[in-house]
Amino acid sequence: MKYHESTIVVRYAETDQMGIVYHANYLVWMEIGRTDFLESIGLRYFDMEQEGYISPVLDVHISYKQAMKYGQKAVVKTWINSYDGFRIVYGYEIRQEGSEEIHISGETEHIAVRKSDFKPVSTRRAFPSWHEAYLKAMKL
């Protein structure tokens, strides 16, 4: 299975008054991890959007185990949990750089839809190169 790691410096603007990362910012970091992961397998959301499609989030699960703090570096590990030709679920782990202890774990579920009417489309049919890249990333 293919994994990709993205490093993020925790910025002051992402924290609350206690210097703890505000919980919603982990979603942004997961999105950074997901787009970096896609680029690591040769894909870009931008290209999908140029063809008139988008890939909205259907579901999000996050488990908060330990807070990240201002000044730390976060490492977002991203991979494909599952893919059936239509739905794709990405997995995430966020930890402090230099540590194996997981601070945040989660997953997001997505589908491809036409931008014009939000009608779902089969990734397998509409984006065969994406389909093949997903399958290959799951086998590595």
Side-chain angles (χ1 to χ4, degrees):
M1 181 173 303
K2 164 85 171 155
Y3 296 94
H4 183 77
E5 291 189 346
S6 306
T7 301
I8 298 167
V9 176
V10 179
R11 295 167 291 267
Y12 185 77
E14 295 171 319
T15 64
D16 60 18
Q17 203 168 24
M18 299 173 289
I20 303 296
V21 173
Y22 177 68
H23 69 277
N25 285 314
Y26 296 112
L27 288 170
V28 174
W29 295 359
M30 289 162 63
E31 184 172 328
I32 290 168
R34 184 172 62 254
T35 56
D36 285 353
F37 173 85
L38 287 173
E39 289 184 11
S40 79
I41 61 172
L43 305 172
R44 295 184 327 150
Y45 273 134
F46 179 81
D47 296 335
M48 178 186 279
E49 291 178 1
Q50 291 299 300
E51 292 185 39
Y53 297 88
I54 55 177
S55 183
V57 175
L58 297 178
D59 201 5
V60 174
H61 294 272
I62 297 179
S63 178
Y64 301 96
K65 301 172 186 321
Q66 184 176 349
M68 295 290 303
K69 298 176 182 171
Y70 173 64
Q72 293 178 326
K73 286 186 180 179
V75 176
V76 182
K77 182 178 180 181
T78 308
W79 66 93
I80 297 174
N81 261 355
S82 64
Y83 170 67
D84 64 7
F86 187 71
R87 294 177 193 272
I88 184 161
V89 178
Y90 297 93
Y92 310 90
E93 291 177 351
I94 301 175
R95 58 182 163 70
Q96 184 178 346
E97 185 178 58
S99 171
E100 293 303 315
E101 185 177 357
I102 298 169
H103 288 236
I104 307 295
S105 62
E107 63 181 31
T108 58
E109 180 180 347
H110 304 256
I111 59 169
V113 300
R114 289 193 305 232
K115 197 185 289 189
S116 61
D117 61 6
F118 273 68
K119 182 176 179 183
V121 297
S122 164
T123 302
R124 182 183 303 129
R125 290 188 190 117
F127 298 97
S129 62
W130 288 60
H131 174 73
E132 292 302 320
Y134 288 161
L135 294 178
K136 182 178 177 185
M138 292 174 65
K139 291 180 184 176
L140 291 176

